[in-house]
Amino acid sequence: MKADFVMADKGYDSDRFVDAIRDSGASPVIPPRKNRTSPRDYDKVLYKERNLVELAFQKLKHYRRIATRYERVEKHYTAMLSLVSTVIWLA
């Protein structure tokens, strides 16, 4: 897949990982660790939007069938994921 940005948390702040992201043509949106000698710049506004994705996964995992992958067949799991997403959207 081709991406314009790659968002990750501080745990992925390594020079090798950031260089690999840049080599693929994307911009890294990873905050630097506190102990980094030369902090990098990153898009703070875009990084805050990562929270929306985290919250969506958190809401999905409230449903046990999704969190434990109770449905083993991909077609059934996708259908259940669609159903739960619709319930969350309507609530």
Side-chain angles (χ1 to χ4, degrees), residues 50-89:
R50 180 178 169 268
N51 187 37
L52 296 174
V53 176
E54 296 287 336
L55 290 175
F57 278 112
Q58 184 181 19
K59 287 179 182 180
L60 284 172
K61 289 191 174 192
H62 280 217
Y63 294 86
R64 184 170 171 248
R65 284 183 95 102
I66 301 296
T68 60
R69 183 122 186 180
Y70 185 76
E71 306 292 339
R72 298 292 175 205
V73 180
E74 181 183 355
K75 180 173 57 172
H76 297 165
Y77 183 75
T78 306
M80 187 57 72
L81 191 61
S82 298
L83 179 65
V84 168
S85 298
T86 304
V87 168
I88 292 171
W89 178 63

Side-chain angles (χ1 to χ4, degrees), residues 7-71:
M7 291 187 229
D9 61 358
K10 292 181 182 184
Y12 293 96
D13 180 36
S14 70
D15 291 331
R16 286 178 60 186
F17 188 67
V18 170
D19 290 339
I21 293 171
R22 287 191 179 128
D23 289 343
S24 71
S27 298
V29 183
I30 304 171
R33 291 184 180 174
K34 285 191 227 179
N35 62 351
R36 195 178 236 315
T37 55
S38 58
R40 285 180 297 99
D41 289 332
Y42 68 101
D43 190 352
K44 293 178 183 177
V45 175
L46 190 58
Y47 184 74
K48 286 183 180 180
E49 299 217 3
R50 180 178 169 268
N51 187 37
L52 296 174
V53 176
E54 296 287 336
L55 290 175
F57 278 112
Q58 184 181 19
K59 287 179 182 180
L60 284 172
K61 289 191 174 192
H62 280 217
Y63 294 86
R64 184 170 171 248
R65 284 183 95 102
I66 301 296
T68 60
R69 183 122 186 180
Y70 185 76
E71 306 292 339

